[in-house]
Amino acid sequence: MTPARVALIGFGTVGSGVARLLLEHRDRICRSAGRPVELVRIVDKDLTRPRNVRVPAELLSDDVGAAIEDPTVQIVIELIGGIEPARTIVLKALQAGKDVVTANKALLAEHGPELFREARRLGRSISFEASVAGGVPIIAALSESLVANEIRSIHAILNGTSNYILTRMEQRGVGYQEALAEAQKLGYAEADPTLDVSGADAAQKLCILAALAFGVQADWKCIPRQGIDVVELADLRYAGELGYTIKLIASAEVVDGKLDLRVCPTLVRHRTPLAEVWGAFNAVEVVGDAVGRVFFHGQGAGQMPTASAVVADVIDLVLGRAPITFRMLPIGCDPARGVPLADPKEARSRFYLRLRVVDRPGVLAEIAGILGRLQISIASVIQHEPDPPVEDGVVPLVIMTHAAPEGPMQQAIEAIEKLAVVRDKVVRFRVQD
Amino acid sequence: MTPARVALIGFGTVGSGVARLLLEHRDRICRSAGRPVELVRIVDKDLTRPRNVRVPAELLSDDVGAAIEDPTVQIVIELIGGIEPARTIVLKALQAGKDVVTANKALLAEHGPELFREARRLGRSISFEASVAGGVPIIAALSESLVANEIRSIHAILNGTSNYILTRMEQRGVGYQEALAEAQKLGYAEADPTLDVSGADAAQKLCILAALAFGVQADWKCIPRQGIDVVELADLRYAGELGYTIKLIASAEVVDGKLDLRVCPTLVRHRTPLAEVWGAFNAVEVVGDAVGRVFFHGQGAGQMPTASAVVADVIDLVLGRAPITFRMLPIGCDPARGVPLADPKEARSRFYLRLRVVDRPGVLAEIAGILGRLQISIASVIQHEPDPPVEDGVVPLVIMTHAAPEGPMQQAIEAIEKLAVVRDKVVRFRVQD
């Protein structure tokens, strides 16, 4: 049996995990792939850094070009991340006749359609199970298992860092900064955590899921998003009192034939599957018209979970399934075939509002008046007697609304923030019931 | 594009769902399958029963042979369930050169290896996503997405009827009989619910998952099992007090290189994914050495969820992926390649015991003495002061043990049941932490 020959570009954490699976578990991989899978080249610019896998020295090189051009290599695994040089490497690998496996969500969110069209033109394929939710097989679910369905919605926790931070805040009662520092210490968060906590990472992943499930080509930068850096411990406590927890939810939902995409901290009802996702885990809930609600939960990042997905893609390629699947994906096809995007202002939701207001008669009436004039009705209010009494006379007020469109809600908040009795910005989260 | 031609054998609830998808959503199915999928024959012995789909009269027939022998048909969907005539139909379809899609867990649990060997010999394939956990793509996960892993364990809720009954008992405080009657009224349970509530159905499904994940050929009838008909409302209350709920768990777990299989009511810790599976849902938790813990949750039965899985299999066949996957499955292969089965008596677990004992001094000491002599140590005890006082002087006593092997536990229970102060049988469930 001719071995399948693989080049690995990017020998960082996930790359080392892939090398571990391919080198230390050859027999298992061979049994699953039907023939030997040989890792023949490993490329990284830093070859001296310590790694938790021993690889034969002759495999290592810093020459990307030589690996991609190697005529004996059939599969190139791209694990360097980011846009460039990853984009060029993927394009060159395709042009050199290789199939590509990647975990690069930023690249796919930004250049997916271009890369997929190029791969199709060249009769090659791109596999990307590891790009969203790590070891959770959500790409396979959307592109294979659920294809008999019209997908109605996706609600997902796609950023493990954010979920870890929110979990620590809720379970340990620590503030955002302290939880972030802890996540950084444990390696769950980067020194600059912006990409994770701003919701950008989740928006990129949502973009990939939405392309698969709804055939849309959305610009991830245009997806309305709010990060978790605005969530305070107080919000988690009020949410808890109302029967909810707060999660950074990436959602794609078809309403009246149009697709609403967004990433934002969201109140999720206790003891529902998404609410019970703790720590650095990821989860995706898909609703299809036939299958109903299906829920997937697992490790969204980390060396071995991500490597598990990358190697499954390699095996899929070696077996010959991947090209068949790739041919049918709606990414890089005529976007007119996809579900049209909704106006973000029209999306309806219940809302959680937290305000700091001056503690005097008539305040609630003023606020309720603004909401009422915009046809937003109040479902519940929390205003606790301050204990100990506050010195500045400013107290928190929490309002949960019934479903209302985003646009009027935004108008209401702007009007409320102008009231003399309201201090600071209004904190506003969506509620998912 | 030549259409793929499909015959449907069995036009009951799921069969009608499959017909709905294939007939009412032709465009969608064609887009996913790359060419039209034509349902050309529907066979059932009862053609007059009302169904929630309109089908052209010329498709309907009660002649199985004609459908299977039809040379224009490429795919036969078997949805009649049970062993015979399903087994003969599947064999004849394979022999007539058709690929088979089935949702028949009983057939696969009993005759899977034989049917798979025959399909391989004939160069055909059998697809069976719908046979376990309905719309939850667990077969695809184990046979494709997780193949880079060595699977360590599977813990699953595979019987929706049992889970519905336990949910109603816990959430509404009703007894087993009342919850069962309600499940029957809603169509979740058969008039004779034995197959579901005895754990037999779950054992059949576990057998299929174990074959895929561990390459074992287990006889489902030999899998140790206990049904939910022994669970009393009191057990759910005591479990809740200890921080657990009770679920019918089907488990396959490798310990010291050997595979322990069993189906039994199990205490599952609150706020873990399996504990939060409510109603008629199914869920599967898989642990792989690379991916860690992955959890799947969805509708395990019902017309459209099951049809979703059946039609996904049909599409997989039409695209040409299914034969590749089928070739690599470890079912019907040399069983010596699989993980050896463990002696059920050696499996260690924590245990929950509920006894009815005479309320007098020294009783706990007698029971604890028996446990101690068998090296079983007690983790906690619940004995409430009876309120109102009991007339017969018999009170419930609940003991939670630390981990102990099944064998000594069984011995201990036998000895305890012989004590003069112990009334009735000891109720014994496993605990999953």
Side-chain angles (χ1 to χ4, degrees), chain A residues 5 21 82 90 97 121 129 164 187 210 252 294 311 319 352 354 405 413:
Chain A
R5 291 169 61 93
L21 282 178
V90 169
R121 192 180 68 78
E129 182 63 74
Y164 179 84
V294 199
V311 175
L319 286 172
Y352 160 98
R354 180 170 55 80
I413 288 174

Side-chain angles (χ1 to χ4, degrees), chain B residues 6 73 164 166 240 262 290 309 336 346 410 430:
Chain B
V6 176
V73 163
Y164 179 85
L166 291 173
R262 61 186 71 234
E346 284 173 9
Q410 198 46 47
R430 296 166 73 88

